[in-house]
Amino acid sequence: MLNPHFASETSMPDTRRLNPKKLLMSKWTAVTPQHKEKHFLVVTLVEPENPDSPPDMIELEAIYSGKRYTMPWQALLDQNIWLQGWQ
């Protein structure tokens, strides 16, 4: 399920560098929580069709509700929406 709140179309600052292959089990905090969903864990790296390509999508699980959201991993670069770690 893709939630438009999480997959922002805004320009993302280039100040944070992430390696998509190292995102599995990383912790994230939503800057503006919705439905009491504030803390998230990357539970799946969605494998691309070409096995030589890096993952382009991830699956986040909300700790509070257990709901899962699929989104491009690059959305985590937007510091207006996501903070690395649990704050």
Side-chain angles (χ1 to χ4, degrees), residues 4 6 10 25 27 31 39 47 55 57 62 69 78-79 81 84 87:
F6 299 123
T10 62
M25 302 309 288
K27 298 173 183 178
V31 172
H39 296 116
E47 295 299 324
M57 301 290 281
Y69 301 95
D78 190 340
Q79 294 180 9
I81 298 176
Q84 198 166 13
Q87 319 270 318

Side-chain angles (χ1 to χ4, degrees), residues 9-44:
E9 295 294 327
T10 62
S11 62
M12 292 176 253
D14 205 17
T15 58
R16 184 185 295 165
R17 291 183 176 255
L18 296 175
N19 181 341
K21 292 182 179 183
K22 294 184 178 183
L23 287 174
L24 190 60
M25 302 309 288
S26 62
K27 298 173 183 178
W28 296 87
T29 299
V31 172
T32 308
Q34 293 184 356
H35 311 290
K36 297 183 182 179
E37 294 177 343
K38 180 177 182 178
H39 296 116
F40 293 82
L41 191 64
V42 176
V43 293
T44 305

Side-chain angles (χ1 to χ4, degrees), residues 39-87:
H39 296 116
F40 293 82
L41 191 64
V42 176
V43 293
T44 305
L45 300 178
V46 180
E47 295 299 324
E49 291 181 21
N50 179 356
D52 295 332
S53 299
D56 56 351
M57 301 290 281
I58 59 168
E59 191 172 52
L60 283 177
E61 183 175 316
I63 300 304
Y64 177 78
S65 67
K67 289 183 185 175
R68 292 186 175 203
Y69 301 95
T70 302
M71 61 185 239
W73 70 265
Q74 294 89 341
L76 296 173
L77 294 170
D78 190 340
Q79 294 180 9
N80 294 316
I81 298 176
W82 295 105
L83 300 174
Q84 198 166 13
W86 287 345
Q87 319 270 318

